[in-house]
């Protein structure tokens, strides 16, 4: 957070001051050229910046969408009102033991999530997965996120174990930069190997594709430089025949969730399209959500409606926002 704040304050926002746009499509063209990161004359390309640029991307789209009275859309098409109906959001559970873990799983079952992601650690994955399968039942699509916990040999062993309980998708099993290891998992395990931490921009995705280091991609707006950059990564992943998961930033407000729905709407007409959707947790996770209307999934993981209106369709409660402010700056 501190690094993104400093980058915005010292480099990106001073360079943005004074720039004008005559239409929302002109804003979109500018962001497409930026492709998820600041222009090179503003920030060196090797500087990590996608989270900071995400803030700029969403702010420009929302502000100029409101100024021109248009809802934000992607791909040159207005958002379809019924495009979200086929999606179902995933539940997410951290692996554990005992009653607290069992209760978490039973909540997922009671809420009737069709998909559940199990976040595992270096050890104990097999037992946690067997418990999850027993309590969730055979009909739930259960997948695993290892968050870079394993080495190659351990991953091959655990993947083989977990496939016996019907788990076929494994997210970021190795560290992000281990391209050779990921490629080995793809070649030797025949399981779905999904990248997350290793995917932030076009270069990283194309490197993963060229090394055949994944069979799926988790694209998140916040780590891919905003809505326009995330849409481009999704299209590239689908063009490469990768399984597509559109993820979230854990604890995101309804501002980012509204952008998430915009992205899902744009991807809905594509084939094969989005396999898994994560996000829109809203008050399921947050003590307060500084954005209205709230954008959060319903029973069974059913998606909320995209807020109507110009821009992203949501309003920020400035009073609530100020209660949670930890730093601020004036850019002139």
């Amino acid at each position: 957070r501190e690094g993104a704040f400093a980058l915005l304050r010292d480099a990106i926002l001073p360079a943005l001051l004074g720039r004008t746009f005559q239409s929302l499509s002109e804003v979109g063209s500018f962001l497409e050229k930026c492709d998820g990161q600041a222009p090179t004359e503003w920030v060196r390309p090797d500087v990590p910046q996608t989270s900071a640029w995400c803030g700029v991307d969403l702010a420009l789209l929302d502000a100029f969408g409101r100024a021109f009275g248009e809802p934000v859309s992607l791909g040159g098409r207005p958002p379809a009102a019924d495009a979200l109906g086929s999606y179902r959001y995933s539940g997410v559970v951290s692996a554990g033991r005992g009653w607290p873990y069992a209760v978490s799983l039973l909540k997922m079952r009671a809420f009737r999530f069709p998909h559940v992601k199990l976040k595992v650690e270096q050890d104990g994955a097999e037992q946690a997965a067997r418990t999850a399968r027993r309590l969730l039942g055979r009909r739930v699509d259960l997948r695993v996120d290892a968050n870079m916990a394993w080495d190659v040999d351990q991953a091959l062993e655990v993947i083989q174990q977990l496939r016996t309980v019907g788990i076929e998708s494994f997210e970021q099993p190795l560290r992000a930069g281990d391209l050779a290891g990921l490629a080995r998992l793809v070649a030797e395990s025949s399981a779905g190997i999904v990248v997350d931490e290793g995917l932030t921009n076009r270069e990283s995705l194309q490197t993963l594709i060229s090394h055949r280091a994944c069979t799926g991609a988790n694209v998140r707006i916040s780590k891919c430089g905003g809505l326009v950059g995330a849409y481009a990564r999704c299209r590239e992943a689908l063009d490469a025949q990768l399984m597509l998961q559109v993820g979230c930033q854990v604890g995101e407000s309804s501002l980012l969730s509204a952008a998430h729905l915009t992205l899902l709407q744009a991807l809905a007409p594509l084939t094969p399209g989005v396999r898994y959707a994560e996000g829109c947790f809203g008050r399921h996770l947050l003590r307060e959500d500084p954005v209205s209307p709230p954008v959060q999934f319903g029973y069974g993981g059913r998606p909320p409606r995209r807020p109507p209106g110009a821009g992203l369709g949501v309003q920020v409660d400035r009073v609530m926002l100020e209660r949670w402010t930890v730093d601020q700056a004036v850019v002139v």
Side-chain angles (χ1 to χ4, degrees):
R1 184 184 60 200
E2 291 81 3
F5 182 87
L7 192 61
L8 288 165
R9 178 193 62 208
D10 300 336
I12 296 176
L13 296 184
L16 192 63
L17 283 178
R19 179 175 286 269
T20 60
F21 300 95
Q22 302 304 314
S23 66
L24 185 57
S25 63
E26 190 176 322
V27 175
S29 296
F30 168 72
L31 293 171
E32 286 175 6
K33 291 178 182 177
C34 293
D35 198 22
Q37 58 188 29
T40 55
E41 60 269 27
W42 299 5
V43 181
R44 296 195 325 273
D46 60 314
V47 174
Q49 57 184 281
T50 49
S51 293
W53 189 254
C54 173
V56 172
D57 171 281
L58 296 186
L60 289 177
L61 291 171
D62 189 50
F64 283 92
R66 292 175 186 276
F68 296 113
E70 300 177 37
V72 174
S73 62
L74 297 166
R77 295 182 299 272
D82 60 348
L84 298 170
S86 62
Y87 291 113
R88 292 295 180 268
Y89 279 88
S90 299
V92 181
V93 179
S94 294
R97 296 180 180 178
W99 276 109
Y101 178 46
V103 169
S104 296
L105 291 168
L106 290 172
K107 286 181 179 179
M108 296 295 109
R109 180 167 180 161
F111 208 74
R112 300 292 296 271
F113 281 110
H115 315 130
V116 173
K117 183 164 81 172
L118 180 63
K119 298 178 75 68
V120 299
E121 298 180 350
Q122 187 172 17
D123 300 313
E126 182 181 8
Q127 183 58 49
R130 291 189 181 280
T131 300
R133 177 58 74 198
R134 185 170 66 254
L135 294 180
L136 293 173
R138 303 296 304 185
R139 299 178 66 179
V140 168
D141 184 336
L142 183 63
R143 64 190 190 277
V144 160
D145 181 3
N147 283 120
M148 306 184 287
W150 304 326
D151 60 30
V152 177
D153 291 334
Q154 185 181 16
L156 286 169
E157 180 181 358
V158 176
I159 287 171
Q160 183 177 13
Q161 293 169 349
L162 299 194
R163 294 187 74 181
T164 63
V165 293
I167 296 175
E168 298 292 338
S169 178
F170 299 84
E171 184 176 329
Q172 205 62 58
L174 310 179
R175 61 181 177 85
D178 189 358
L179 294 173
L182 289 166
R184 183 181 165 193
L185 292 186
V186 170
E188 297 183 19
S189 73
S190 70
I193 304 300
V194 181
V195 290
D196 180 13
E197 284 83 355
L199 193 173
T200 56
N201 55 22
R202 184 180 186 278
E203 181 181 5
S204 63
L205 178 57
Q206 293 304 319
T207 299
L208 288 160
I209 292 170
S210 65
H211 283 78
R212 298 183 180 179
C214 62
T215 64
N218 182 15
V219 176
R220 292 187 279 149
I221 296 169
S222 54
K223 68 162 184 169
C224 292
L227 193 50
V228 175
Y231 180 63
R233 302 294 83 77
C234 288
R235 295 294 301 265
E236 291 160 4
L238 292 176
D239 287 345
Q241 298 183 320
L242 299 182
M243 183 276 286
L244 181 59
Q245 174 177 301
V246 177
C248 65
Q249 189 71 23
V250 178
E252 66 184 29
S253 76
S254 290
L255 177 63
L256 194 54
S257 295
H260 190 268
L261 294 181
T262 302
L263 179 57
L264 289 181
Q265 281 185 321
L267 295 169
L270 304 183
T271 302
V274 179
R275 174 72 177 275
Y276 299 116
E278 294 178 353
C280 290
F281 280 91
R283 291 293 302 278
H284 294 303
L285 283 181
L286 298 177
R287 183 180 304 168
E288 290 186 304
D289 189 339
V291 177
S292 61
V295 180
Q296 64 185 45
F297 58 70
Y299 181 73
R302 288 177 172 80
R305 292 186 177 183
R306 185 180 185 272
L312 293 172
V314 293
Q315 300 286 339
V316 175
D317 184 333
R318 294 181 64 89
V319 174
M320 188 185 299
L321 191 66
E322 288 172 2
R323 288 204 297 270
W324 296 99
T325 297
V326 296
D327 203 353
Q328 54 186 316
V330 177
V331 179
V332 294

